[in-house]
Amino acid sequence: MREITTNDVANSVKNGDCIAFGGFTPAGTPKLSASAIARKAEEEHAAGRPFKIHVLTGASTGDSVDGVLARADAIISRVPYQSDSNIRNLINGGNVHYCDIHISHYAQQVKQKMFGEIDLAIVEAADISDSGEILFTTALGVAPTFCRHAKKIVVELNEYHPKKIRGLHDIYETELAPHTRPIPLVTIRDRIGTETIKIDPAKIIGIVRTNIPDQVKAFSSSDRDTDRIGEHIAKFLSNEIRSGRILPPFPIQSGVGNVANSVLKAISAETSITPYTMYSEVLQDSILEAIKSGSLLFASGAALTMTPECLGEIYDNYDFFKTHLILRTQEISNHPEIILRLGLVSINTALEVDICGNVNSTHVLGSNVVNGVGGSADFARNSQISIFACKSTAKDGKISAIVPFCSHVDHSEHSVKILVTEYGIADLRGKDPRRRAQEIINNCVHPDYKDLLGKYLSMASGGHIPFSPANAFKMYEAFASEGDMRKTNWNM
Amino acid sequence: MREITTNDVANSVKNGDCIAFGGFTPAGTPKLSASAIARKAEEEHAAGRPFKIHVLTGASTGDSVDGVLARADAIISRVPYQSDSNIRNLINGGNVHYCDIHISHYAQQVKQKMFGEIDLAIVEAADISDSGEILFTTALGVAPTFCRHAKKIVVELNEYHPKKIRGLHDIYETELAPHTRPIPLVTIRDRIGTETIKIDPAKIIGIVRTNIPDQVKAFSSSDRDTDRIGEHIAKFLSNEIRSGRILPPFPIQSGVGNVANSVLKAISAETSITPYTMYSEVLQDSILEAIKSGSLLFASGAALTMTPECLGEIYDNYDFFKTHLILRTQEISNHPEIILRLGLVSINTALEVDICGNVNSTHVLGSNVVNGVGGSADFARNSQISIFACKSTAKDGKISAIVPFCSHVDHSEHSVKILVTEYGIADLRGKDPRRRAQEIINNCVHPDYKDLLGKYLSMASGGHIPFSPANAFKMYEAFASEGDMRKTNWNM
């Protein structure tokens, strides 16, 4: 395979091209090529020439893709998910077209060329053969699909990752209808695909050698409130098992961040749930201790998003860890067919919830996007129990996470079953909207907001759903004018 | 099997019981037993004693269940869907607890006893053997699950339906996780279950003989606007086939009502789409002509919801029609695994849409429920293309169906791909929210509202999603105060 420089990569990219980057989160994201493309963009801009590209990824990336390209103002459009402050500012300023897509829908849309032709795919590999056989690194994401559909491919061969990880991956792509068939995955351990993919070497422009770890930062640590949330969830699941409503063993799906870490900690300590398994998107540092302690038997994901310290421990003890881990393509990690079949219990973080159980996962005050819907709706919609968790307030209590009416709905009242804050748990199953509102106000709302939301509920009388259009967004208006939602005056 | 009277049925029901009625829509809904229970409720109420029941059904019913029980004020709670004005008024008045559930989630929740124990299941049969083998009538719905889980069963043996329909049904129930397995349905014609079910005769209280057709009314006929909607959709699908984005043959799912009838008419006339197939929930009169003409090859549904005239034609020519029809349990007709595998094109009606593509299917002005979410979100979320259609205005133009912000969100912007009104089609795929808003305003909004919504869009500047909390519901306020949304004054 021919080795090339990142400048060679940049030179192969034209203004308006569609470039697909492998990886899923910073894991498996190419480390060097995008910087060269960003430098080219800056040079072209300095010379007064337009230069921007369409960017496809698996999910979020590291600074090495979204950061460098956004700072160079080199992006026209972006799908399907991001979590980088540089590109977020461009999106919310109206300078990048961002299409926020269900992760499970995405591979199909790529195959249907919904985003046009892929001019170049840039993927990271731990190994590549002369015949075009690629061993991926810490994520599969949608990289195999990109490779199959791109006109040209660049492989960043990252020697940081050992070749012994061959076997970590299970690569399976679905066909488009009418050629789709049942996906033969029945337990979370099942292997249904291949360890590597083979692509036409003629499509490979060349190899860029790197030796750079994934740009994964440790998440903010858990605190007393997140620990309480974790304890409420562990207790709830324990009760569900006892009642016979859910049959163990059930795989857990968990979002990312400090709430998720607290949840895993609490579940790992609950003997009626352990040992458990995970079928999720992103596998994080917190699974390491859980696997070592024996509470987590097996974890399946689309990415190993770990700090270098934790990933190093896995690589150092690979013979042990390889029997507990598998990486899948994101269309399989998030596939409704599999989520339903395995009977997942999904636990995701809400940005905002309303008293009827609608959840906003994406947009602050209905307008500025934070990250995106990602896989949350794949899991929430198809899991056997969808749990959403959040702290009851933000900004030192000036914002209530629970409002009369969500300013953006990513998960409708029909798909949200359990809500948890540090104050407690609201079981919304089988209840009508008014009973759900009472349950949420009684069990989850911060004491500072109980009266306020109770008043909204009694004011919004009549109808199946308690709703007062003149007051639905009053709490936002109070925050905008008074800096504190507690100063809301209802329009009686 | 012992024959009993409807009074015997009523006498077996106690205040507070949970009664599950078979059927799906008026098709297959029991015709006589609920009337006797309603009479008992009225007698008990007259005597000053409380008497109400919890009512589970497959979906909507006929007047013979929801109507008679609602008029007798005999209902405590109701799941998962209704479309009856009597019960709707009780729900919106806060007198019946109504839990509106995704049809595809429902069977699992019944099996998990999420609504408690079923004291009595009342189902309609075309035949029953002494050993407890039941041949259902025009719907399967969730009746087999009710029969398996109920403590006692009453069978209404309806001699209106001939025994020769044995073979029309394909009864398949999924297990609860972790016992779930791939559902072996690969083409819409596949038979994966049984023609009848067998239940323990000891659970059957007795048989009530009837000879009564399903209470199906003809839908309001199509008009110029619905015909235009149908033509836009047929043309769009024809273009998709030509572009290679969707591969024929693909099954169509279609909601109910006059828009759906116009859509089927237009599709049946479009030679690049025909012959087509249907994989849907409710099969209506309109499929009759399509099957006879050869444009519709095969239709799979959970119910044959037909007027007596059309059903009569099917029964009179059953040897022909039986090769074109199958009825499935509602968990299979609406199963995400199957909808995804078959690559459905789904076409559902919206009550209200916002400029970013969120859809309200259920609640007028965010409060009063019309019917329920039903299966619309099962199909929209998992189909390969989800189309929503509505007329651009209601009430002689005084209400715009397209508003700045939906007062209730059943289908989020992430799941709505195509919007159609009589004015045209908006293709929302791959677009960011602002581009979607422009596309919707340009192509779908009624001319009377283009400037008004254009102004909202330019006013709600900044951010990823155009949103102005102070104006989001102004059009409702104008309708409330002025009787006409065209009189909206934006809060600049």
Side-chain angles (χ1 to χ4, degrees), chain A residues 179-201:
Chain A
H179 308 297
T180 332
R181 290 293 172 270
I183 301 168
L185 194 157
V186 176
T187 82
I188 64 157
R189 285 179 178 78
D190 288 354
R191 295 199 147 270
I192 60 174
T194 58
E195 296 177 346
T196 58
I197 59 164
K198 224 168 166 181
I199 49 180
D200 179 2

Side-chain angles (χ1 to χ4, degrees), chain A residues 157-276:
Chain A
L157 184 60
N158 190 345
E159 291 166 351
Y160 183 87
H161 301 285
K163 294 181 176 46
K164 68 180 173 190
I165 60 170
R166 188 180 175 116
L168 175 64
H169 311 88
D170 185 51
I171 303 173
Y172 185 95
E173 287 183 84
T174 62
E175 298 295 322
L176 292 177
H179 308 297
T180 332
R181 290 293 172 270
I183 301 168
L185 194 157
V186 176
T187 82
I188 64 157
R189 285 179 178 78
D190 288 354
R191 295 199 147 270
I192 60 174
T194 58
E195 296 177 346
T196 58
I197 59 164
K198 224 168 166 181
I199 49 180
D200 179 2
K203 275 179 38 171
I204 302 177
I205 295 178
I207 288 171
V208 174
R209 279 190 190 271
T210 71
N211 191 329
I212 303 173
D214 292 326
Q215 298 173 307
V216 177
K217 290 174 219 141
F219 274 95
S220 58
S221 57
S222 50
D223 58 29
R224 209 185 59 167
D225 287 343
T226 62
D227 282 349
R228 279 196 185 162
I229 289 171
E231 287 155 19
H232 291 311
I233 291 175
K235 196 176 150 198
F236 165 77
L237 290 176
S238 175
N239 281 338
E240 286 296 296
I241 293 168
R242 213 174 8 253
S243 75
R245 271 192 295 274
I246 54 175
L247 307 176
F250 49 84
I252 305 265
Q253 174 268 331
S254 167
V256 298
N258 56 1
V259 171
N261 285 336
S262 287
V263 169
L264 284 197
K265 193 168 73 179
I267 286 174
S268 297
E270 175 58 57
T271 53
S272 65
I273 304 173
T274 56
Y276 66 99

